[in-house]
Amino acid sequence: MDKQNDDFVFVTYEDAGLAQSKPDYLDGISDFIDSIADDLWPINKKIHDNPELGYEEYIAHETLTKFMASRQGWKVTPSAYGLATAWVAVFDSGRKGPVVSFNVEMDALDGIGHACGHNLIATASVAGGLATAEIMKKDGLRGKVVMFGTPAEEGGGGKIKLLKAGAYRDHNVDINLISHPGITKDTALMRTSAYTAFKVEYFGREAHAAASPWLGINALDALVTAYNSLSVLRQQTMPGDVIQGNITDGGVRPNVIHAYTAGNFVTRANTQGRVKELKKKVDACFEAGATATGATLKMTPVQSYADHVPNRVLGASYRKYFNALSPPQPIPGNDDLGEIEGRTMASTDQGDISYAMPSLSAGFAIQPGPGGNGPHNPEFAKAAGTRDAFERCLRVGKALAGTAVDVLTQDGLLAEVKKEWQREIKGN
C-alpha cells in the first residue's frame, strides 16, 4: 500500500509490480493453458507415477507422442534420430519466421523416481509449446514451434546426442526454452556447473596377503592413495570446484592382495575451461596412486556437460510474464542478483544446448516435503507429484510461452537475444 510521508510517496515492491502494464499476450496464453490443464494433469501424473531411467522412457514417450499427435496442426516424429525414446513435434505456420523450441525431459533417478521433477519439466514445456502454437494460429504469426523429447538428462546426455545428430540444426532452431523445479527462489537466469564424469580402474597382481604379500601389487592401495590425494587437493581448489567419487570395486577378500579396483568420479566447476584445469590436477592424484603402488591405471571418460549460460534478454521476457502471473515471490529485476540467485552447482546437458544456441533455463520453486529436501531426494519425488507442483509448473509454462511469443512478435528481439548470447559465450 502507498504511504504518505511529508512530500514523499512510498510504493511497495508488490504495488510497483502491479502497476506495470500487463504483457500483450498474457491473457490469451494463460486462458489457453488453463483450458488444457485437465488434459495435462493425467499426462503429468502418468510420467511421475511410472519413473523410467534414461533411454528407457517408453511409457513417457508413448504418452507424450500420443498426446501431441492428437493436437491439431502438430506433426510428430516418435523415436527420432536413432534414439528409441526421443521424439520431435513441429507446429509450422507455413510462413518464414523465428523458430522457437522447447526441450521436454522425461527420465527419472534410479531407486528414487522423479526426484528431479522431470515430469514437471515435461509438462511445463508441453504447455508452453502448445500455448505458443495457439497464439500463432489465433494471431496469424510467422514462424515455427518445435518440441524435442530429450531422453536421459541424468548422466546420459540425450540432448548432446540430439545436437550431434543434427536435430536442432535440421529445424533451424533460433532459441531453446526449458525449466527446472527445486526449492530455491524462482529465477529466469539459471547458471549451472560444467562437469566431466569418468571411470577409474587399477590393475595389480594377486598374492597371499599374509604368506607372501610382497609378490602382489595392491590395486586397492592405489585407489585409496588416489582418494586420499583428492581429499588433500580439495584444500587448494577454487570456489565452485567440486570433486566427487565412489568406489565400485574394492577387492575380493582380505587375505588376497587386491588385483583390481575401480570407482566412478566427477569433477565440476563454474566453466568448461575451469573443469579442464581441475581435471589435470585430479588426474595427477590418480597417477600418484599408480606410481606409489606399481599398479596400472586406466581412466575412461563417461560423460561431460557444459555449464549452462543464461541469456539476459530472454530472461527479461520470461520475468515480465512470470511476475505478471502473481507468483508467491516475484523474480527481482536486477540481473546481477538474478544470476547469483540462479547459480547452482548441479549440472545438465541443457548447458551444451546453451553453447549451441541461446537458451533459457528457468528455475521454479515447488513446496518441499516435511524434511525440506530438494532434488535427488525421495521426499522431493513425492513433492513433484502433487497438484500444487503441477499448478506451479503451468505458471512456468505460461511464462515460457510468453517468452517464445515475444521472440516471434517483437521486431529486433531475436537479434538482441543472439547478440547477448554471442557476448556471453565469448566471455566463457
Side-chain angles (χ1 to χ4, degrees):
M1 180 181 290
D2 295 354
K3 298 175 183 178
Q4 187 73 41
N5 184 1
D6 297 329
D7 295 327
F8 298 94
V9 175
F10 294 93
V11 183
T12 66
Y13 181 85
E14 290 76 16
D15 288 337
L18 291 172
Q20 294 177 356
S21 60
K22 184 186 296 184
D24 291 341
Y25 294 94
L26 179 64
D27 287 342
I29 291 169
S30 186
D31 290 346
F32 174 76
I33 289 181
D34 288 345
S35 75
I36 62 169
D38 288 343
D39 297 325
L40 293 173
W41 170 244
I43 293 168
N44 179 75
K45 281 295 286 179
K46 189 164 188 178
I47 296 171
H48 176 271
D49 294 347
N50 294 277
E52 301 166 293
L53 300 182
Y55 299 118
E56 298 175 6
E57 309 98 329
Y58 300 109
I59 294 171
H61 174 273
E62 181 183 15
T63 301
L64 289 162
T65 53
K66 269 189 174 181
F67 175 71
M68 290 307 302
S70 73
R71 307 302 302 187
Q72 187 177 3
W74 286 86
K75 180 182 177 183
V76 180
T77 304
S79 299
Y81 292 94
L83 300 174
T85 55
W87 54 272
V88 180
V90 179
F91 179 89
D92 195 340
S93 70
R95 296 188 299 158
K96 187 173 177 58
V99 180
V100 296
S101 67
F102 297 78
N103 279 343
V104 181
E105 293 183 4
M106 302 169 285
D107 60 321
L109 288 157
D110 192 7
I112 53 176
H114 274 290
C116 212
H118 289 190
N119 59 301
L120 300 173
I121 296 173
T123 302
S125 288
V126 168
L130 288 173
T132 303
E134 182 67 16
I135 297 299
M136 290 177 73
K137 284 190 284 188
K138 192 174 167 186
D139 290 76
L141 305 182
R142 297 172 178 269
K144 187 164 68 171
V145 187
V146 186
M147 285 190 214
F148 295 98
T150 58
E153 186 276 338
E154 296 291 351
K159 297 182 190 71
I160 298 171
K161 289 191 176 183
L162 287 172
L163 271 173
K164 289 179 178 178
Y168 299 87
R169 182 183 64 246
D170 288 350
H171 293 281
N172 298 310
V173 170
D174 288 306
I175 66 164
N176 186 260
L177 308 174
I178 197 171
S179 62
H180 202 295
I183 60 170
T184 55
K185 292 183 178 181
D186 298 304
T187 179
L189 300 173
M190 187 182 294
R191 189 179 284 275
T192 65
S193 297
Y195 100 116
T196 185
F198 53 98
K199 181 179 181 180
V200 171
E201 297 172 281
Y202 285 102
F203 300 87
R205 184 169 62 229
E206 296 95 339
H208 195 291
S212 54
W214 55 87
L215 296 177
I217 296 175
N218 198 320
L220 181 57
D221 282 351
L223 186 51
V224 169
T225 297
Y227 197 94
N228 288 335
S229 297
L230 293 176
S231 296
V232 174
L233 173 62
R234 287 191 182 98
Q235 183 184 19
Q236 292 176 291
T237 56
M238 295 175 64
D241 291 350
V242 177
I243 305 168
Q244 303 161 290
N246 70 295
I247 296 173
T248 56
D249 293 273
V252 178
R253 52 188 300 152
N255 64 346
V256 176
I257 295 295
H258 309 295
Y260 177 78
T261 54
N264 296 317
F265 292 85
V266 167
T267 58
R268 301 179 197 261
N270 290 340
T271 65
Q272 294 181 86
R274 178 56 194 166
V275 160
K276 289 178 182 177
E277 292 178 19
L278 178 61
K279 181 67 161 51
K280 289 177 184 177
K281 297 176 182 290
V282 168
D283 288 353
C285 292
F286 289 107
E287 290 161 4
T291 300
T293 61
T296 300
L297 168 65
K298 180 182 179 182
M299 300 178 70
T300 306
V302 175
Q303 184 69 66
S304 294
Y305 287 172
D307 49 301
H308 182 266
V309 180
N311 188 284
R312 292 189 174 195
V313 180
L314 290 175
S317 278
Y318 179 86
R319 181 175 63 240
K320 173 182 66 177
Y321 278 90
F322 186 83
N323 287 352
L325 290 162
S326 302
Q329 292 292 328
I331 299 173
N334 183 318
D335 283 340
D336 291 335
L337 175 61
E339 285 208 31
I340 292 170
E341 293 184 340
R343 156 62 71 185
T344 173
M345 290 311 301
S347 305
T348 171
D349 54 1
Q350 186 70 20
D352 293 80
I353 296 292
S354 76
Y355 275 86
M357 69 199 73
S359 165
L360 171 76
S361 181
F364 65 100
I366 67 171
Q367 291 286 353
N373 287 295
H376 291 220
N377 181 280
E379 197 176 78
F380 191 82
K382 186 175 181 181
T386 63
R387 184 77 189 199
D388 180 72
F390 170 74
E391 297 292 344
R392 289 172 183 243
C393 89
L394 292 188
R395 181 191 292 120
V396 171
K398 293 173 183 181
L400 291 176
T403 306
V405 170
D406 275 359
V407 171
L408 292 169
T409 59
Q410 292 185 15
D411 290 340
L413 182 61
L414 181 57
E416 286 184 45
V417 168
K418 291 187 175 182
K419 184 178 179 181
E420 167 70 6
W421 173 69
Q422 290 168 348
R423 184 187 68 80
E424 284 281 0
I425 295 301
K426 187 177 180 181
N428 275 17

